[in-house]
Amino acid sequence: MVYTAGRGFLAPPLNARRPGQDGLDMLLEATARREHGAYNLVYEQLSAPVHAVIRAVLRDPAQAEEVAQEVLLEIWLVAFRYDATRGHAKAWVLTIARRRAIDRVRSAAAAEARERRTATMPYLDQVSDIVEDILEREHLRRCLGALSTLQREAIMLTFYDGYTNLQVASMLRVPLGTAKARIRDGLIKLRHVMADTAAAPSAVALPRG
């Protein structure tokens, strides 16, 4: 390949080329050697075919244009990898173009999948919290079944219905000290039962009635 001042970039005589080489092959090799003007000619010949191949894969014209420019820049950077004995330059370049277009499609699909997962995370977290709350209440309900009826009654009035100790004593028609004792003893027993059944809550009988 010869560059002559005033005449531009010239291809070598046909008899100087290796078998199977064409002008684009020679231009690509000259690009690899960074010969002046070679890449401009490669760009002129391949920009339209590269864009057409990418446009056939990508529906978005803006993305297709962006990928085409990336491919053409890549060709300039990796022109030294081209081996004329393994195929024509145009086929090599268009193969790269198609691969980059497919890569962009896969990348966009992966990004969309991540967005969908991110969008559903708050909902999944909410569902998880609800399920956890149900399980905790179910565990507590099972453990309450291990208390005596009097203890369970006093604790339910105090912690579920929000009554004071004095109100509980009045409602149960027992002395205040008795109501406090039932609540205290019930809480102690409940704490032990919940600790013992944390691994196997089903072992505690459900409350009846």
Side-chain angles (χ1 to χ4, degrees):
M1 192 68 66
V2 180
Y3 180 81
T4 304
R7 299 181 61 188
F9 191 80
L10 302 177
L14 289 176
N15 58 8
R17 302 178 187 176
R18 294 194 298 273
Q21 280 193 309
D22 56 27
L24 187 57
D25 294 333
M26 302 295 288
L27 286 171
L28 202 57
E29 291 179 349
T31 298
R33 296 191 297 269
R34 297 297 186 257
E35 293 186 13
H36 179 71
Y39 178 71
N40 291 340
L41 296 176
V42 169
Y43 188 97
E44 290 176 4
Q45 292 191 38
L46 292 179
S47 59
V50 164
H51 186 272
V53 167
I54 294 172
R55 189 68 178 87
V57 178
L58 295 173
R59 297 181 179 180
D60 185 351
Q63 283 198 32
E65 180 64 29
E66 181 181 341
V67 175
Q69 293 303 318
E70 291 175 356
V71 169
L72 290 166
L73 175 60
E74 181 179 356
I75 297 306
W76 183 78
L77 293 172
V78 301
F80 64 91
R81 296 181 182 174
Y82 170 64
D83 184 357
T85 63
R86 302 182 62 180
H88 291 293
K90 186 174 182 179
W92 181 72
V93 171
L94 296 185
T95 297
I96 294 175
R98 187 172 184 277
R99 288 175 180 171
R100 296 298 173 266
I102 293 173
D103 289 344
R104 177 61 67 91
V105 171
R106 291 173 177 170
S107 177
E112 184 178 351
R114 286 194 299 271
E115 290 178 1
R116 286 198 301 268
R117 288 196 298 270
T118 302
T120 58
M121 282 177 64
Y123 170 75
L124 294 177
D125 290 342
Q126 182 181 15
V127 171
S128 177
D129 291 341
I130 293 173
V131 171
E132 184 177 354
D133 183 56
I134 291 174
L135 292 176
E136 288 179 353
R137 284 190 282 113
E138 179 68 14
H139 185 204
L140 178 59
R141 190 169 72 89
R142 289 174 180 272
C143 292
L144 285 171
L147 305 181
S148 69
T149 301
L150 296 177
Q151 290 172 341
R152 184 167 62 250
E153 187 177 33
I155 287 177
M156 295 290 287
L157 288 172
T158 302
F159 295 99
Y160 279 82
D161 297 328
Y163 293 111
T164 65
N165 291 347
L166 184 60
Q167 290 172 324
V168 171
S170 176
M171 295 175 69
L172 297 180
R173 296 181 181 179
V174 297
L176 178 59
T178 300
K180 289 182 177 180
R182 290 179 184 179
I183 295 170
R184 182 188 66 250
D185 294 343
L187 288 175
I188 292 173
K189 186 173 182 179
L190 182 62
R191 183 171 66 249
H192 290 309
V193 171
M194 293 188 71
D196 292 340
T197 61
S202 60
V204 180
L206 291 173
R208 297 180 180 178

